[in-house]
Amino acid sequence: MASSNLLEWPEAIVPVQTLSGSGMSTVPQKYIKPPSERPSGSTNDPNLRIPVIDLACFSNAPDHHQALLEAVADACKDWGFFQVVNHDVDIEVVKRMRGAWREFFDLPMEEKKVYANLPVTYEGYGSRLGVEKEAILDWSDYYFLNLFPRDIRNLDKWPKIPTDLRETTEKYACQLISLCQVLLKAMSSSLGLEEDYLHSAFGGSDGISATMRANYYPRCPQPELTLGLSSHSDPGGFTLLLTDDNVEGTQVRKGDSWVTVQPVPGSFLVNIGDQIQVITVD
């Protein structure tokens, strides 16, 4: 039964990082997924690979421009996911972003708990979502922030340590917003709409909202029994996911199969959200 009090969690919060660091050899029962939800291997079909789209083709050259729009349309229609490369997000900013948030998660637990979140907003440092008692939890900790519009930010929830985290996160967020605008234009045009259609539909330059979630997946003693993040769809327009360049873990649903995303260094994974998905009727 769900709690009606959004100012508190239904149970005491124990960060997964604390559990992982305790030396336990088995996963606590509350993290063990039912057999039908446990991790699955990737599909063996070599033809099922997430599309990779080169945004350098989004140029004024008619042939290149049309090829990109067709690739975006096919990826959105057939997958709902694609990876983008040559996206103009500064790789040095990305490196600093990874480093700053890794440094935050490496801080002593008491320093991180200063930023502990609550279910009323989720903003801050957390280890669970939802207020259902005795829910089966994911094996991960996270940090959630509101980015845009700026007037909804709670700067008390922006960590002061490491000292460059705030500045780095701001630069990263601004560059990702620019990338989002390029993708919205491409998606709009691929649907035969004016290129600013989706941008305007989501509020325009002053109204678009964006949030960020930094996920931390501690070592797990029985990874075959649990998940770092349960299967889900994203409720917004779309998500840009910065995956680990060296670790295969993210999977997407294609028909009846789960397909493991093959990391492409320097890329972002684009996940079409519930608000953009449409149903066509022939």
Side-chain angles (χ1 to χ4, degrees):
M1 182 176 179
S3 168
S4 60
N5 186 358
L6 295 182
L7 295 178
E8 62 182 26
W9 295 104
E11 300 154 334
I13 299 295
V14 179
V16 175
Q17 191 174 4
T18 297
L19 296 175
S20 176
S22 69
M24 62 172 53
S25 59
T26 58
V27 172
Q29 187 65 37
K30 68 166 58 179
Y31 294 93
I32 297 178
K33 302 291 184 179
S36 62
E37 297 179 19
R38 291 177 188 172
S40 63
S42 74
T43 176
N44 293 321
D45 187 342
N47 295 315
L48 289 180
R49 295 181 68 88
I50 311 301
V52 178
I53 294 178
D54 187 346
L55 290 184
C57 295
F58 199 38
S59 65
N60 293 325
D63 291 345
H64 290 174
H65 189 90
Q66 187 58 36
L68 180 137
L69 296 183
E70 291 174 0
V72 168
D74 289 344
C76 292
K77 180 177 65 176
D78 297 337
W79 283 86
F81 295 87
F82 55 93
Q83 294 182 86
V84 291
V85 295
N86 292 323
H87 41 64
D88 288 339
V89 176
D90 188 342
I91 190 63
E92 289 304 316
V93 172
V94 172
K95 288 179 180 178
R96 291 199 298 271
M97 185 71 171
R98 289 187 192 274
W101 282 99
R102 283 173 176 162
E103 188 175 340
F104 171 82
F105 283 108
D106 284 341
L107 291 173
M109 188 56 65
E110 291 309 309
E111 292 188 42
K112 293 195 287 283
K113 284 186 175 180
V114 171
Y115 301 100
N117 68 353
L118 293 170
V120 66
T121 65
Y122 291 117
E123 195 163 16
Y125 176 62
S127 295
R128 68 171 294 162
L129 294 172
V131 291
E132 181 182 354
K133 285 188 175 182
E134 300 179 358
I136 298 176
L137 305 179
D138 291 335
W139 189 264
S140 62
D141 297 329
Y142 65 89
Y143 207 103
F144 182 84
L145 285 177
N146 290 314
L147 298 177
F148 296 102
R150 285 183 170 85
D151 59 9
I152 68 169
R153 294 181 183 179
N154 178 2
L155 290 181
D156 289 338
K157 289 295 186 180
W158 287 55
K160 295 180 180 179
I161 301 175
T163 55
D164 64 339
L165 185 146
R166 290 187 175 191
E167 178 185 1
T168 299
T169 300
E170 173 72 18
K171 288 181 178 179
Y172 178 82
C174 288
Q175 292 199 20
L176 257 62
I177 282 291
S178 295
L179 173 56
C180 288
Q181 291 172 346
V182 170
L183 292 172
L184 285 172
K185 288 180 180 180
M187 290 177 191
S188 294
S189 297
S190 75
L191 291 168
L193 304 169
E194 295 294 328
E195 69 172 19
D196 66 345
Y197 182 89
L198 286 174
H199 182 260
S200 298
F202 282 112
S205 298
D206 297 326
I208 284 182
S209 64
T211 61
M212 185 202 81
R213 174 170 162 155
N215 296 310
Y216 183 83
Y217 303 106
R219 184 181 297 274
C220 180
Q222 294 176 294
E224 71 280 3
L225 299 180
T226 189
L227 289 169
L229 188 61
S230 296
S231 60
H232 65 281
S233 64
D234 289 348
F238 62 86
T239 298
L240 295 178
L241 178 63
L242 177 64
T243 59
D244 192 302
D245 289 344
N246 303 304
V247 178
E248 295 179 5
T250 303
Q251 292 186 321
V252 303
R253 190 76 170 172
K254 174 67 171 173
D256 294 328
S257 300
W258 285 102
V259 181
T260 299
V261 177
Q262 304 299 318
V264 176
S267 70
F268 287 95
L269 177 66
V270 182
N271 174 5
I272 305 302
D274 296 340
Q275 291 185 32
I276 287 185
Q277 291 193 40
V278 296
I279 298 174
T280 58
V281 179
D282 295 330

